[in-house]
Amino acid sequence: MKKNLVFDFVIILIVLLGAAYFAFKKPIKMGLDLKGGVYVVMEAVAEDGGTITSNDMDRLIEVLERRVNGFGVSEAVVQKTGDKRVIIELPGIKDTQKAVETIGKTAFLEFKLVESDGSLTETGVNGKDLKQADISYDNFGRPQIVFELTIEGAKKFAELTRNNIGRQLAITLDGEVQTSPTIKSEIPGGKGTISGGYTIEEAKSLKTLLNAGALPVKAEILETRTVGATLGDESIAQSKQAGIIAIVLVMAFMAIFYKLPGLIADVALTICGIIIFGTLNYFEATLTLPGIAGLILTLGMAVDANVIIFERIKEELRGGNSILKSVENGFKKAYSAILDGNITTLIITAILFSLGTGPVKGFAVTLTIGILASMFTAITATRFMLKTLVLYTDIKNPKFFGVRGK
Amino acid sequence: MKRLEIINKTKIWLGFSAFLIVVSLIGIIKGLNLGIDFTGGSLVQVKFEKQADLKTLNNVFDEISNEISQVASTSRKVQIADDNSVIIRVPELTEEETGTLLKKLEEKYSKFDLLKVDKVGATIGKELKTSAISALIIGAILIVIYITIRFEFIFAIAAIIALLHDVIIAIGGIALLGYEVNTPFIAAVLTILGYSINDTIVVFDRIREVYRRNKARNLGEIIDESINDVIVRSINTSLTTFLAVVAILLFGGASLQTFITTLLIGIVSGTYSSIFVASPLVYLFEKNKKIKV
């Protein structure tokens, strides 16, 4: 019995110190809804019923990453989700409107043949085939764009130019014709120039668009969410206030209703809180507004295991058992209810996590961690404190356990 | 505390629940107030220096609608909050259109702080509906499996009916209140699943224990005794959770209103159903048979 207590104490101390270390090591990461910023979901769209390969997706992400880097945000995220979607997160951006516009600028490059009536025909050569573009100067010192195609693209381009010498080839970005040079000869090596009497500024911006903007596939914006910094600050202040009030109310209730064990539950709740924060920080979980609500909700539910145990102890005391015996039996008999109840809740959080997006996932994570932490503290920390108290002090009156009468 | 006799008044409890479910279903059939997460569209939230009045705002938006048709009075929804902020919901706007809207608003109105701009495509909305429904179904099936393994199939059925009861009442309550529902609402409904089942399981756990101790007794008495044993715990846990939730409702800001209200209804209903619905149902299903837990 006493040996077990030492063991319990060591476990609790290790977990608590570890959690406290991670809880205070660095500030917890906050989601866009708290910090302000931009959240964008894009989807790659295949042309003419084609398929999107994982290679297309890799290149799309690469291009988007290059664009996002332009914002100089340190915690920017470009992340693939599902088969053909990309999530972009830019926390702390001030000009949210502009950011969305820049990310969303689709810039899909296509080469199209110009027909005699001025209409354009698809050639099947597009941004997918472009390797890179650069600026050079012709013999007269006029800026021009030189571009290099991929091996696959070079083959297609050679065939295209061979069969259409003398015709105009339009270069379009997002369907808008940028320039329509005439094909003078077959271009076999996959290298070409676009000379259109550009100023140096025009040439530069065209180069940038081709490089950073030539998406391998068309990408559509499905969802954007931008949160201004003011709203984020307000949300943080309000959640803090709500959290503190919730803690005070729950703790007061436990102390008033369960007396001595209630106070112990309050200490356990504090330990539980530190463990939750430490774990969240260790896994670099992002705290969102629903996530905070999940945390506060957890506080209310966290005492459930304690309530189940204390009610059992009271029953044992009413049945005439000694305090020590009652505490032991109370814990023993409460286990199965605590376990079954929490496992079913964990099933739900697992579903929330796997099917939810963004903030809902955050909510599921905090709820899961909260449930596990509260289970741990209830059966280790509460038990340790309660047993120590019963073993080493002289408490004999069931009144301290909230049992009336006798 | 006076001893509660639940089982011999089964008809009253189930009747009361049936009434609530009918009212909720009427609310659900009437329709939920779906937000842009479900329907697709754009939402712009701005905060003015002083309280905006709806009439002036509507005039401004009417003028803007000449250029951006989505802002027309028939398609926009304008909501003014206490903190000088204004939320406007319209069908999907392009980035350029959103930019124009904000510029026009600034020209025609006083200065404001841009709080939030959301745009959700129709595809996402449709997917959200599908995934919400499948989450509910998968959740229910997994819970039935778990309870069947740990208890007995009949208990699982009773628990699932109690759970549907809570979910229907929570969704119906929100429908009747007319609160707008978005993604966090789904999280709230699923949390109710977890809460409701947790509460029910603790009652079932006790029924199993009392039954094992004295198999010869009448099932109704066993269930009554079990409920009386655990009711204080049930009420106390609901109370502490309730206190936490009320704190968020009062101080957590308007954006969580639907989320929290859904949880509140769910907690009250979940506490009621584990005692007054799930347990009587176990009695009804099993009274003529021997249970073998």
Side-chain angles (χ1 to χ4, degrees):
Chain A
M1 176 88 192
K2 287 181 186 178
K3 211 168 144 193
N4 282 345
L5 279 184
V6 175
F7 182 72
D8 280 355
F9 180 71
V10 172
I11 295 271
I12 297 161
L13 202 66
I14 290 172
V15 173
L16 182 61
L17 287 179
Y21 171 74
F22 286 112
F24 298 109
K25 194 181 157 197
K26 54 185 179 200
I28 198 148
K29 220 163 108 188
M30 287 200 252
L32 292 172
D33 54 350
L34 293 174
K35 208 175 181 179
V38 180
Y39 172 92
V40 179
V41 180
M42 290 180 100
E43 182 173 85
V45 184
E47 319 135 73
D48 321 324
T51 49
I52 306 283
T53 65
S54 67
N55 184 37
D56 290 339
M57 287 307 290
D58 291 345
R59 287 195 57 194
L60 176 64
I61 288 171
E62 206 182 298
V63 171
L64 290 174
E65 266 171 358
R66 250 181 285 165
R67 281 188 201 171
V68 163
N69 283 343
F71 293 107
V73 181
S74 59
E75 283 171 37
V77 175
V78 179
Q79 189 187 19
K80 191 177 159 186
T81 169
D83 287 337
K84 45 182 186 174
R85 286 197 186 151
V86 185
I87 291 177
I88 301 165
E89 283 181 3
L90 300 170
I93 283 257
K94 287 246 164 55
D95 193 349
T96 51
Q97 244 355 77
K98 191 171 170 246
V100 172
E101 273 170 38
T102 314
I103 295 169
K105 210 168 197 175
T106 32
F108 185 66
L109 172 80
E110 280 173 294
F111 292 95
K112 287 180 178 172
L113 279 168
V114 183
E115 301 294 336
S116 48
D117 62 356
S119 66
L120 303 171
T121 346
E122 304 247 345
T123 63
V125 186
N126 54 42
K128 228 177 185 165
D129 304 306
L130 184 78
K131 206 163 159 193
Q132 62 166 353
D134 215 337
I135 299 177
S136 74
Y137 297 90
D138 66 9
N139 298 337
F140 303 100
R142 291 177 302 204
Q144 58 184 14
I145 311 289
V146 291
F147 61 88
E148 200 184 331
L149 299 175
T150 59
I151 298 170
E152 172 80 357
K155 246 188 257 167
K156 283 194 278 180
F157 201 63
E159 197 186 312
L160 173 70
T161 47
R162 184 168 63 238
N163 296 337
N164 294 290
I165 292 173
R167 290 181 68 177
Q168 269 186 305
L169 185 68
I171 297 169
T172 66
L173 278 174
D174 288 337
E176 266 179 55
V177 177
Q178 300 295 317
T179 173
S180 314
T182 305
I183 303 172
K184 288 179 183 134
S185 59
E186 180 188 339
I187 305 173
K191 282 185 188 168
T193 51
I194 309 168
S195 44
Y198 300 118
T199 65
I200 182 73
E201 276 72 33
E202 283 169 344
K204 262 187 196 157
S205 81
L206 193 53
K207 180 198 112 175
T208 319
L209 267 179
L210 285 176
N211 273 333
L215 294 184
V217 282
K218 276 184 193 164
E220 238 170 49
I221 292 191
L222 289 187
E223 184 179 352
T224 62
R225 291 175 191 273
T226 66
V227 177
T230 331
L231 188 63
D233 289 344
E234 258 173 43
S235 302
I236 293 176
Q238 285 173 336
S239 332
K240 261 189 194 156
Q241 203 182 355
I244 290 169
I245 290 164
I247 292 173
V248 170
L249 288 177
V250 171
M251 284 188 163
F253 178 87
M254 289 302 284
I256 292 167
F257 201 91
Y258 289 107
K259 312 286 184 294
L260 201 61
L263 288 173
I264 286 174
D266 289 346
V267 179
L269 195 63
T270 313
I271 296 175
C272 178
I274 295 171
I275 293 177
I276 292 174
F277 264 97
T279 317
L280 282 175
N281 227 356
Y282 177 76
F283 289 116
E284 302 203 327
T286 310
L287 209 56
T288 59
L289 201 52
I292 292 181
L295 271 182
I296 300 177
L297 180 68
T298 311
L299 286 177
M301 290 165 77
V303 292
D304 181 47
N306 283 318
V307 170
I308 294 178
I309 295 164
F310 298 163
E311 285 298 330
R312 278 291 189 171
I313 295 177
K314 275 160 86 172
E315 270 176 52
E316 296 288 319
L317 286 170
R318 287 195 199 103
N321 286 315
S322 74
I323 288 191
L324 183 60
K325 186 87 190 140
S326 298
V327 168
E328 280 192 334
N329 282 351
F331 275 95
K332 228 178 272 164
K333 291 189 174 169
Y335 283 144
S336 82
I338 294 173
L339 201 67
D340 281 336
N342 281 313
I343 286 177
T344 44
T345 314
L346 287 176
I347 292 176
I348 298 298
T349 58
I351 295 167
L352 269 175
F353 184 78
S354 55
L355 288 177
T357 52
V360 175
K361 262 199 163 74
F363 173 72
V365 171
T366 47
L367 207 55
T368 307
I369 294 174
I371 291 164
L372 292 175
S374 71
M375 240 162 90
F376 172 78
T377 45
I379 54 186
T380 59
T382 308
R383 192 181 59 180
F384 168 76
M385 287 187 279
L386 212 49
K387 273 193 179 173
T388 313
L389 204 76
V390 173
L391 278 175
Y392 296 100
T393 62
D394 213 20
I395 296 171
K396 291 278 184 297
N397 194 337
K399 259 203 324 214
F400 288 112
F401 286 78
V403 176
R404 267 174 290 173
K406 278 203 182 173
Chain B
M1 198 154 81
K2 209 178 135 247
R3 218 183 125 80
L4 293 169
E5 288 184 12
I6 309 292
I7 294 303
N8 63 23
K9 294 209 177 75
T10 295
K11 276 183 193 152
I12 297 177
W13 313 129
L14 293 183
F16 178 60
S17 282
F19 168 73
L20 287 182
I21 287 177
V22 169
V23 172
S24 300
L25 285 176
I26 291 171
I28 295 171
I29 291 164
K30 238 182 64 201
L32 280 165
N33 178 7
L34 295 178
I36 64 162
D37 286 2
F38 287 100
T39 57
S42 291
L43 178 153
V44 177
Q45 187 180 359
V46 293
K47 188 172 186 169
F48 292 109
E49 275 161 359
K50 51 182 197 292
Q51 183 88 28
D53 78 294
L54 195 59
K55 216 176 146 200
T56 329
L57 266 175
N58 273 329
N59 287 336
V60 173
F61 286 132
D62 281 340
E63 234 175 280
I64 294 174
S65 73
N66 292 332
E67 207 162 320
I68 308 167
S69 59
Q70 292 96 312
V71 188
S73 60
T74 46
S75 54
R76 68 167 185 252
K77 272 202 271 179
V78 181
Q79 182 191 333
I80 299 175
D82 303 333
D83 61 347
N84 299 349
S85 76
V86 171
I87 298 174
I88 160 166
R89 296 175 183 81
V90 291
E92 209 173 325
L93 299 172
T94 63
E95 306 315 323
E96 289 77 28
E97 282 168 338
T98 310
T100 316
L101 171 72
L102 292 173
K103 213 184 287 161
K104 293 269 171 192
L105 196 59
E106 192 151 26
E107 274 169 24
K108 303 211 183 280
Y109 218 90
S110 60
K111 255 185 83 67
F112 59 78
D113 204 356
L114 182 59
L115 295 182
K116 188 170 159 185
V117 179
D118 289 348
K119 183 186 105 170
V120 181
T123 346
I124 295 255
K126 218 183 274 165
E127 283 174 19
L128 183 65
K129 268 185 224 166
T130 330
S131 69
I133 292 167
S134 54
L136 269 173
I137 294 171
I138 295 170
I141 292 172
L142 289 177
I143 286 173
V144 168
I145 294 173
Y146 183 79
I147 299 180
T148 307
I149 293 170
R150 294 283 295 169
F151 295 85
E152 202 192 340
F153 185 60
I154 288 303
F155 281 78
I157 295 303
I160 286 298
I161 293 175
L163 211 142
L164 285 175
H165 166 272
D166 301 336
V167 169
I168 289 171
I169 287 175
I171 298 177
I174 294 298
L176 288 172
L177 286 169
Y179 286 178
E180 194 184 58
V181 303
N182 280 315
T183 317
F185 172 72
I186 295 174
V189 170
L190 286 168
T191 309
I192 293 173
L193 288 192
Y195 187 86
S196 159
I197 207 74
N198 187 351
D199 210 41
T200 306
I201 292 259
V202 176
V203 181
F204 283 0
D205 184 78
R206 186 56 79 105
I207 293 176
R208 178 170 60 182
E209 187 187 318
V210 176
Y211 177 77
R212 277 179 183 156
R213 216 164 43 218
N214 195 346
K215 293 186 188 184
R217 279 171 65 198
N218 168 289
L219 181 63
E221 279 172 32
I222 291 177
I223 292 178
D224 267 350
E225 185 186 325
S226 309
I227 290 172
N228 278 283
D229 283 346
V230 294
I231 197 160
V232 176
R233 169 266 158 192
S234 202
I235 291 170
N236 282 0
T237 298
S238 304
L239 262 178
T240 54
T241 313
F242 203 81
L243 290 175
V245 170
V246 168
I248 317 177
L249 186 65
L250 292 182
F251 302 97
S255 58
L256 289 169
Q257 190 195 42
T258 306
F259 177 77
I260 290 302
T261 311
T262 314
L263 282 175
L264 269 183
I265 302 174
I267 289 166
V268 175
S269 170
T271 311
Y272 177 83
S273 73
S274 49
I275 293 169
F276 298 95
V277 178
S279 309
L281 281 177
V282 168
Y283 177 72
L284 284 184
F285 293 152
E286 294 277 329
K287 63 179 169 185
N288 297 319
K289 292 192 281 173
K290 281 247 164 200
I291 41 173
K292 23 178 207 303
V293 280

